[in-house]
Amino acid sequence: MSNYTREGFTEEHGTADKVIGSIHITCSLLGTPANLVALSYFLIGRRSQRFRNVSSVLYVLTALQDCLICLLSLNHGVTLLRGRDVWLPEFCPILHILFQMSQRMSVFLVAALSFTRTFTLLYPLRKVSKSTIPTILGTALVAMACVYVIPYCMKVTEIRYHWEDGYCWITPFPGREPAGIWIKVDTTLDSLVLAFPIIPITISCGISSYQILNTRKNTAGLTGADKATQDGLRRREQRLTLTIILVTVLYIAYNIPLFINYVLYQITLQKFTWPGPLYSSIIMRYYSWNVTALLGTALNATSNPVLYWIRFSGFRKWVIRSFRSVVPSSGSSTNQLGNSAL
């Protein structure tokens, strides 16, 4: 039975739901195995380098996080294809908590990649400890678990399906006094942790871009063996830095709409009564959060393995070699058939 009976919502919007839902499912079906392959490469294909430096650790964690995000996108896509009739309602709380934590952790990981690379470029003689980043990320993970799990377990909040947004969301538990305070804190934390980190991340990306251009100028006066050595080191560092810059740019591109949405949301909370003039239209009311907060995150997670394929020649060679070891070539199959006939 169709759910498209809400005010202002027509069958045309139902078609848009099917398109968005199909993209979610595509991200899940393609992104989950792609990130599993990337994770396998970072852990097995680069066994000698997997924990050699901070960037290697962060790539492992990013592939793992992106895999989880793509997997969870399946629920979002099927729900939209079912006419916003929630799929797996009994798992609504746990799916919500997992996605919220995964989405925020992905922001931390991109920030860590960008910030540590910028620090290395600005202070080449100083190294970021490999234990520092996992410690910070572990602390953030525990903090997020406390924010989302403890209030829910204490009945301060409840997690239920919101038809307008098309996904499960956390709301104050009816009749509980602390809920109003908690929801304000949660809204502020969402803005600070999910949306506004794009500003320092963009600044860090700009500094890294400037530094690799400046490095080229600094080696221009060298000659002979020194120049060859420096050029080799410079090209390697520039390639590593450019890859991180591209990962960061990809994140920025997919999250600019979410940043704008949060700015409009904060304006609405401060100036108007919800939904106010900014969220009164059908597009903003029914699609703004689903597209910017969910679809953008899923597309970002799905795109990262494509970037790895383009930038890491070792990744391409490892995948091709692994594929050939599993799937025999047509020539070897023909030989096997010929030998069996003899």
Side-chain angles (χ1 to χ4, degrees), residues 1-29:
M1 181 178 178
S2 178
N3 264 347
Y4 300 122
T5 57
R6 305 299 174 99
E7 181 182 356
F9 207 94
T10 66
E11 291 293 339
E12 292 181 358
H13 300 109
T15 302
D17 274 5
K18 289 179 173 60
V19 172
I20 298 173
S22 298
I23 297 174
H24 272 294
I25 294 175
T26 302
C27 288
S28 182
L29 295 179

Side-chain angles (χ1 to χ4, degrees), residues 58-75:
L58 290 173
Y59 277 126
V60 170
L61 295 175
T62 299
L64 179 61
Q65 199 64 62
D66 287 344
C67 182
L68 181 57
I69 288 173
C70 290
L71 184 62
L72 293 171
S73 294
L74 181 63
N75 180 61

Side-chain angles (χ1 to χ4, degrees), residues 27-271:
C27 288
S28 182
L29 295 179
L30 296 181
T32 302
N35 278 291
L36 279 175
V37 171
L39 179 62
S40 300
Y41 167 70
F42 291 133
L43 287 175
I44 301 173
R46 300 175 62 186
R47 187 172 301 174
S48 61
Q49 305 178 38
R50 56 185 173 183
F51 300 125
R52 188 181 66 177
N53 52 44
V54 173
S55 296
S56 299
V57 175
L58 290 173
Y59 277 126
V60 170
L61 295 175
T62 299
L64 179 61
Q65 199 64 62
D66 287 344
C67 182
L68 181 57
I69 288 173
C70 290
L71 184 62
L72 293 171
S73 294
L74 181 63
N75 180 61
H76 300 143
V78 174
T79 295
L80 290 177
L81 290 183
R82 286 163 51 93
R84 302 207 176 199
D85 180 17
V86 61
W87 188 49
L88 304 176
E90 61 275 14
F91 294 103
C92 198
I94 189 171
L95 292 176
H96 167 79
I97 291 173
L98 285 175
F99 186 83
Q100 295 302 308
M101 293 178 62
S102 299
Q103 187 182 37
R104 283 144 186 79
M105 187 57 67
S106 68
V107 177
F108 285 135
L109 290 170
V110 172
L113 263 175
S114 182
F115 295 164
T116 54
R117 198 57 181 170
T118 301
F119 180 86
T120 301
L121 291 172
L122 292 176
Y123 305 100
L125 299 180
R126 300 175 64 180
K127 291 186 177 180
V128 180
S129 173
K130 287 187 293 184
S131 61
T132 301
I133 299 302
T135 300
I136 295 175
L137 293 177
T139 303
L141 187 63
V142 172
M144 285 190 293
C146 292
V147 169
Y148 290 106
V149 177
I150 292 179
Y152 175 73
C153 293
M154 296 179 63
K155 302 296 183 181
V156 175
T157 61
E158 63 176 355
I159 299 173
R160 59 185 178 84
Y161 179 68
H162 283 231
W163 191 91
E164 285 188 1
D165 298 319
Y167 56 90
C168 300
W169 192 246
I170 196 164
T171 57
F173 197 86
R176 295 298 298 269
E177 184 62 30
I181 299 175
W182 183 91
I183 209 68
K184 292 179 180 178
V185 173
D186 177 63
T187 301
T188 303
L189 287 176
D190 272 355
S191 299
L192 293 176
V193 175
L194 190 58
F196 290 98
I198 196 173
I199 297 175
I201 289 173
T202 302
I203 294 173
S204 175
C205 182
I207 294 174
S208 294
S209 302
Y210 172 79
Q211 284 298 119
I212 61 173
L213 293 175
N214 196 45
T215 302
R216 181 179 301 177
K217 295 178 182 178
N218 291 338
T219 59
L222 298 176
T223 58
D226 289 339
K227 185 177 188 303
T229 302
Q230 289 298 320
D231 280 348
L233 292 174
R234 175 177 57 81
R235 283 194 296 269
R236 179 179 178 276
E237 289 299 312
Q238 281 188 339
R239 184 166 183 82
L240 292 173
T241 302
L242 183 57
T243 300
I244 293 176
I245 289 174
L246 291 175
V247 170
T248 306
V249 168
L250 205 60
Y251 160 81
I252 293 170
Y254 282 120
N255 283 272
I256 284 178
L258 180 61
F259 171 75
I260 295 173
N261 205 10
Y262 263 102
V263 171
L264 298 177
Y265 180 63
Q266 289 296 333
I267 292 174
T268 299
L269 292 180
Q270 298 298 324
K271 301 290 185 179

Side-chain angles (χ1 to χ4, degrees), residues 319-329:
V319 171
I320 293 172
R321 186 168 60 249
S322 300
F323 180 78
R324 286 176 177 173
S325 67
V326 174
V327 182
S329 63

